[in-house]
Amino acid sequence: MQRLTFNDGQSPKQQPEVLESPTSPIDSASRQRAQGEALLPDGDAAVSAQEYRVYKRRWFGLVQLILLNIVVSWDWLTFAAVSSTSADYFGVTEGVINWLSTAFLFAFVAVSPAVIWTLNKGGPKPAILLASIFVLIGNWIRYAGARASGGHFGVVMFGQILIGFAQPFVLSAPTTNPFGAALGQLIGPFWATKASEVPNMVLYTGILSTVASLPAFFIPRAPPSPPSASSAHPKAPLKESLQALKRNSSYYLIFIPFSVYVGFFNAASSLLNQIFEPYGFSETDAGIAGALLIVVGLVTSAIVSPIIDRTKQYLLAIKLLVPLIAAMYLALIWAPQTRTVAAPYAICSILGASSFALLPVALEYLVEITFPISPEITSTTCWVGGQLLGAIFIIVMDALKGTWADEPEGSMKPALVFQAVIAAVAVPLPLFLGFRATKAKGKGRLDMDRNRGNDVASAR
């Protein structure tokens, strides 16, 4: 949904003056939008004479971005789908293996300030290059640690952290493509059927990551004109953008549930094998459940997102999908106890479909209600919240493992109850969106593009 603009780094030579009117009589909601619009000069005047065109070279950058998203998300869950086999190989517990996912998420948070600065100042191209470098180095460090005699877990962890540094550089640019996580969940158990095959699994993943990363060094220069009116706007100063964002109440009504649901999706994806294993499910069964979680979600998103984008019913979609997601986390509490694959597969499919349908809609709506703040700022801050909570949730859920009486050893039922309760608590927040107290007034990004399109049509 978001447009990939490789000329974003070509910011104007002079920063626009910030206009403030603290004594203005406008209400709170209007002031939020006014504060954002004050960051930039008159949008219509600034871009009225601009030509808009989508050049073919942009598709090269988009394809490279998708490839990096695939391999980074695959790298993230390399060991999650075979947690018990990996634990046997490295001579550690499954809880220690979980730290490979947890450290990856913490690495995302740590490097995010640099990501915001890079995307705001340089645009997607330098971000993609940095991500490719981290992916290349991290993957081969992981392989060196895995191939060493007996496996050196610390070296593997270091490589995993480097790959974690790569993710926000490509995840925060457009809406993400987590297809690689599904591949990792599905293929990993076939590549590592026993402990001795773990190094080969890491090797195969490293080769694929290398092939996907190398084209990044050949991304062409920026096209001479932007693809749309909103992308032609000069970027708002970073400091003023962050200050305006803090005063936007609608932003928090998206940020909090987004962080919670992304966090639980990350935690559930990382712990899926450990959720089902105590009830007699194999790593392959859990891997298929993880693949369904993501593949069904991607297919649903591919169908639903264009429809919502065309109708602009972002708010209605958010209010319908959020309760459905919370309901699926509630149903997941009892899915492992059925000891058949039907319930886990069905719940994971619905959870994936609703989560992935919500993801691009929430990010797109966030861009609209915070315009003209740069999308990379709102996107990155929301992803930071989701990754941070994901890491925390993994730690908490791992600590709750095996604490429920009359359940199999290592049961994660207490963790699933914790997950369902927090997911339910977050439901009311987005339901307040659109009410008068939180509804921003003024010209948004969609209005600008629509008006510019009407102007062009009238001129013809």
Side-chain angles (χ1 to χ4, degrees):
M1 290 185 180
Q2 296 184 23
R3 297 173 177 83
L4 187 67
T5 56
F6 282 88
N7 57 326
D8 284 351
Q10 300 173 355
S11 56
K13 294 181 179 180
Q14 294 183 348
Q15 295 291 355
E17 180 181 353
V18 179
L19 305 177
E20 297 183 357
S21 179
T23 59
S24 174
I26 60 177
D27 61 24
S28 174
S30 299
R31 187 179 296 111
Q32 292 169 5
R33 179 57 64 100
Q35 287 166 341
E37 290 178 341
L39 301 178
L40 296 174
D42 184 350
D44 292 336
V47 300
S48 59
Q50 177 69 62
E51 177 187 0
Y52 309 114
R53 178 181 174 186
V54 178
Y55 290 83
K56 292 181 179 180
R57 73 181 75 174
R58 294 189 187 277
W59 293 103
F60 183 91
L62 177 61
V63 170
Q64 181 57 37
L65 202 56
I66 292 173
L67 287 175
L68 283 172
N69 269 306
I70 289 175
V71 296
V72 168
S73 56
W74 190 332
D75 291 339
W76 165 44
L77 294 179
T78 300
F79 302 96
V82 289
S83 56
S84 59
T85 302
S86 299
D88 291 341
Y89 178 74
F90 290 107
V92 297
T93 65
E94 284 187 299
V96 174
I97 295 297
N98 290 341
W99 274 100
L100 291 170
S101 293
T102 306
F104 185 97
L105 300 177
F106 278 135
F108 183 111
V109 176
V111 79
S112 288
V115 173
I116 293 177
W117 186 90
T118 301
L119 288 170
N120 188 260
K121 299 297 182 181
K125 182 173 180 178
I128 290 175
L129 289 174
L130 286 171
S132 298
I133 292 171
F134 281 126
V135 168
L136 285 170
I137 297 175
N139 265 279
W140 293 109
I141 289 178
R142 285 200 319 176
Y143 176 64
R147 179 59 68 184
S149 179
H152 286 289
F153 185 78
V155 176
V156 173
M157 174 66 78
F158 178 61
Q160 187 81 352
I161 291 173
L162 290 180
I163 301 172
F165 287 156
Q167 189 182 38
F169 285 102
V170 291
L171 187 64
S172 300
T175 302
T176 182
N177 182 352
F179 181 60
L183 294 176
Q185 293 273 22
L186 186 62
I187 297 175
F190 292 99
W191 281 352
T193 58
K194 53 187 178 181
S196 61
E197 294 176 344
V198 168
N200 290 336
M201 176 187 68
V202 179
L203 172 62
Y204 303 150
T205 307
I207 293 173
L208 292 174
S209 298
T210 299
V211 172
S213 300
L214 289 177
F217 297 95
F218 303 97
I219 292 178
R221 63 182 178 84
S225 61
S228 67
S230 58
S231 62
H233 255 295
K235 284 183 176 292
L238 183 57
K239 182 178 179 180
E240 285 79 359
S241 294
L242 292 173
Q243 290 176 345
L245 194 62
K246 290 190 297 184
R247 296 187 289 264
N248 190 321
S249 60
S250 295
Y251 164 75
Y252 293 102
L253 295 179
I254 291 287
F255 170 78
I256 295 173
F258 184 96
S259 300
V260 169
Y261 294 133
V262 169
F264 277 131
F265 190 92
N266 288 340
S269 299
S270 301
L271 300 173
L272 208 55
N273 182 49
Q274 296 166 60
I275 290 172
F276 293 121
E277 192 177 40
Y279 295 89
F281 295 91
S282 66
E283 288 183 337
T284 301
D285 293 333
I288 294 174
L292 287 171
L293 182 72
I294 297 172
V295 172
V296 174
L298 289 173
V299 172
T300 303
S301 180
I303 297 172
V304 173
S305 294
I307 297 174
I308 297 176
D309 194 38
R310 188 176 300 112
T311 60
K312 311 303 179 187
Q313 295 297 318
Y314 303 114
L315 191 54
L316 176 62
I318 290 172
K319 292 184 177 183
L320 291 175
L321 291 170
V322 164
L324 179 59
I325 293 172
M328 289 303 101
Y329 281 121
L330 178 64
L332 189 59
I333 296 175
W334 297 280
Q337 300 171 52
T338 64
R339 300 181 189 273
T340 62
V341 297
Y345 286 0
I347 292 172
C348 285
S349 296
I350 298 173
L351 179 60
S354 53
S355 296
F356 279 97
L358 176 65
L359 183 65
V361 172
L363 290 175
E364 190 74 6
Y365 186 70
L366 192 64
V367 173
E368 173 65 13
I369 63 177
T370 60
F371 184 81
I373 296 173
S374 297
E376 65 266 14
I377 297 177
T378 55
S379 175
T380 301
T381 53
C382 281
W383 281 115
V384 167
Q387 305 298 74
L388 178 60
L389 286 185
I392 294 173
F393 290 157
I394 292 174
I395 296 172
V396 173
M397 293 171 72
D398 184 61
L400 292 173
K401 184 191 300 184
T403 59
W404 195 290
D406 301 325
E407 290 293 327
E409 183 180 357
S411 169
M412 298 201 72
K413 186 174 182 179
L416 297 178
V417 171
F418 163 78
Q419 180 175 253
V421 170
I422 302 300
V425 169
V427 169
L429 293 175
L431 301 183
F432 286 107
L433 286 166
F435 286 98
R436 184 171 183 178
T438 61
K439 189 175 181 180
K441 299 177 181 179
K443 182 181 293 185
R445 179 183 57 85
L446 294 177
D447 294 326
M448 174 173 291
D449 288 340
R450 188 183 300 114
N451 292 341
R452 178 56 183 169
N454 292 337
D455 292 343
V456 172
S458 298
R460 291 176 180 174

